[in-house]
Amino acid sequence: MSQSLARALQILVSLGEGDRSLDELATELDVHKTTVLRLLRTMEVERFVRRDRAHRYRLGSRLFSLADTAREQHVVRAVAAPHLRQLNQKTGQTVHLAAYENGQVIYIDKLDSVQSVRMYSQVGVPAALHCTAVGKVLLAAQPKRQREALLTTIEYRQFTPNTITDPDALRDELDLVRAQGWAHDRAEHESFINCIGAPIKERSGRVVGAVSVSVPDVLLNYEQVLELLPDLLATTAAIAADYN
């Protein structure tokens, strides 16, 4: 672990025990005050710490939002697990669970296909927003202002000839996703993979995650993948029922 990262984490642990002054943190870390101040300034800008009027440091609001996200993802993953297993066993295909986190869509669970073909996706790794089914589902679920802001910041990397590389085209696609309640990735991220995804909604209608089924075209073509949509929608509805 890098020395700076180790010290920043030690600062967070110390502040978790109570507020500290710059001098107190420097003493605890056994480093010069300028080193600690440099770390604190960066952490303050990113809202991991805050400084009060008495120039004492406390944990910042960013940690609270991250804690809420981590707690929610843990709950969604735990609730979804048996339903994902059932979908995986019934279809025999790769199943993903993803969640939205600070402008990114992150895979938080994955069950591999029973076939020998494996996908490169990994738990904890972001999914492309513009060309994956879970990315489209979770991007479409964001409030309009936030969604529009994200559309301007996406790197529209062309993974395959089918990848959407234009913000207006993606905007139209997201309108369709919201209207029909599911999304597809028709060989947009990997040229030999077709995928469908659907949202998990809590009682208020807020989307807390997305589930997808991904299939290599050597096993099923796009039209055959669409035949799995009823199973996918039944799975997300069952997860939502247990989550609520």
Side-chain angles (χ1 to χ4, degrees), residues 73 99-107 124-127 129 138 142 150:
Q73 289 186 4
Y100 181 83
E101 178 182 326
N102 297 322
Q104 291 184 313
V105 169
I106 307 295
Y107 291 117
V125 174
L129 289 172
L138 293 171
Q142 301 311 305
L150 287 168

Side-chain angles (χ1 to χ4, degrees), residues 10-11 14-15 18-31 33 36 40 55-57:
Q10 190 175 345
I11 288 172
S14 294
L15 296 182
D19 62 292
R20 298 283 196 276
S21 68
L22 176 60
D23 287 338
E24 289 169 339
L25 288 170
T27 299
E28 290 185 19
L29 270 64
D30 193 24
V31 295
K33 287 192 295 185
V36 180
L40 286 169
H55 300 287
R56 296 185 68 81
Y57 291 88

Side-chain angles (χ1 to χ4, degrees), residues 28-163:
E28 290 185 19
L29 270 64
D30 193 24
V31 295
H32 196 273
K33 287 192 295 185
T34 56
T35 300
V36 180
L37 184 59
R38 185 167 60 250
L39 291 171
L40 286 169
R41 283 174 174 167
T42 300
M43 297 169 74
E44 190 173 8
V45 168
E46 297 296 330
R47 296 186 291 109
F48 285 103
V49 303
R50 63 183 178 89
R51 182 179 49 173
D52 64 19
R53 293 181 178 178
H55 300 287
R56 296 185 68 81
Y57 291 88
R58 305 172 186 271
L59 294 178
S61 60
R62 182 75 172 272
L63 286 170
F64 302 136
S65 63
L66 287 176
D68 287 342
T69 299
R71 187 182 304 111
E72 182 173 272
Q73 289 186 4
H74 176 76
V75 172
V76 171
R77 191 175 189 271
V79 170
H83 301 287
L84 298 181
R85 285 196 299 271
Q86 185 177 3
L87 181 63
N88 174 251
Q89 292 166 2
K90 184 173 183 179
T91 64
Q93 307 303 334
T94 301
V95 173
H96 289 105
L97 174 66
Y100 181 83
E101 178 182 326
N102 297 322
Q104 291 184 313
V105 169
I106 307 295
Y107 291 117
I108 60 175
D109 205 354
K110 176 186 178 183
L111 285 75
D112 282 314
S113 167
V114 299
Q115 309 294 332
S116 59
V117 180
R118 293 289 183 268
M119 294 186 62
Y120 297 116
S121 54
Q122 296 179 349
V123 173
V125 174
L129 289 172
H130 65 299
C131 59
T132 61
V134 291
K136 293 176 187 177
V137 165
L138 293 171
L139 181 55
Q142 301 311 305
K144 183 176 181 180
R145 181 177 297 180
Q146 188 172 346
R147 186 171 65 248
E148 287 296 320
L150 287 168
L151 287 172
T152 65
T153 61
I154 290 174
E155 179 186 355
Y156 289 88
R157 177 181 171 187
Q158 185 165 10
F159 293 92
T160 78
N162 293 341
T163 304

